[in-house]
Amino acid sequence: MKNRHKSKNTVSNRLAIVGITIVVLFIAFAMHVRSVTLKEQDREYQLQEESLQADIDAQKQLSEELEQKKIYVKTKEFTMEKAREIFGLKMPDEIIIKPDSN
């Protein structure tokens, strides 16, 4: 009887070890799959971050250009340029030569 009880414990222990091993392997596999998924997600986020940084840089450049234009619009040179362009006005000492329309 003692041998039977001992062999029953041995089989029971082996089944427990096999069961625990299977659970550990399953958890390791799940962690590996999650790790791969997170790495892919990280790559996507890095690409998105680079794209957003490029957009930020472009907007900063546009902002600088608009600031320069805002300053230029307030100058006398701009006013004179638009007066010539829109109304055909000229300065008193200026001579405008128009091309012949042949």
Side-chain angles (χ1 to χ4, degrees), residues 47-60:
L47 291 174
Q48 186 179 13
E49 182 181 357
E50 290 171 5
S51 173
L52 290 172
Q53 187 60 48
D55 289 346
I56 289 170
D57 294 341
Q59 290 301 319
K60 283 182 181 178

Side-chain angles (χ1 to χ4, degrees), residues 22-66:
I22 290 172
V23 169
V24 168
L25 289 175
F26 178 74
I27 291 172
F29 177 74
M31 288 176 59
H32 173 70
V33 168
R34 183 67 177 150
S35 170
V36 169
T37 303
L38 288 174
K39 285 180 184 177
E40 289 174 4
Q41 196 174 31
D42 183 47
R43 274 186 248 131
E44 289 174 12
Y45 285 150
Q46 286 177 349
L47 291 174
Q48 186 179 13
E49 182 181 357
E50 290 171 5
S51 173
L52 290 172
Q53 187 60 48
D55 289 346
I56 289 170
D57 294 341
Q59 290 301 319
K60 283 182 181 178
Q61 179 67 29
L62 180 61
S63 176
E64 289 173 12
E65 290 172 6
L66 288 173

Side-chain angles (χ1 to χ4, degrees), residues 14 41 49 67-68 94:
R14 286 185 183 170
Q41 196 174 31
E49 182 181 357
E67 190 63 36
Q68 292 298 320
E94 218 173 28

Side-chain angles (χ1 to χ4, degrees), residues 1 4 13 43 66 70-71:
M1 245 292 178
R4 215 173 187 197
N13 286 343
R43 274 186 248 131
L66 288 173
K70 180 180 171 184
I71 293 170

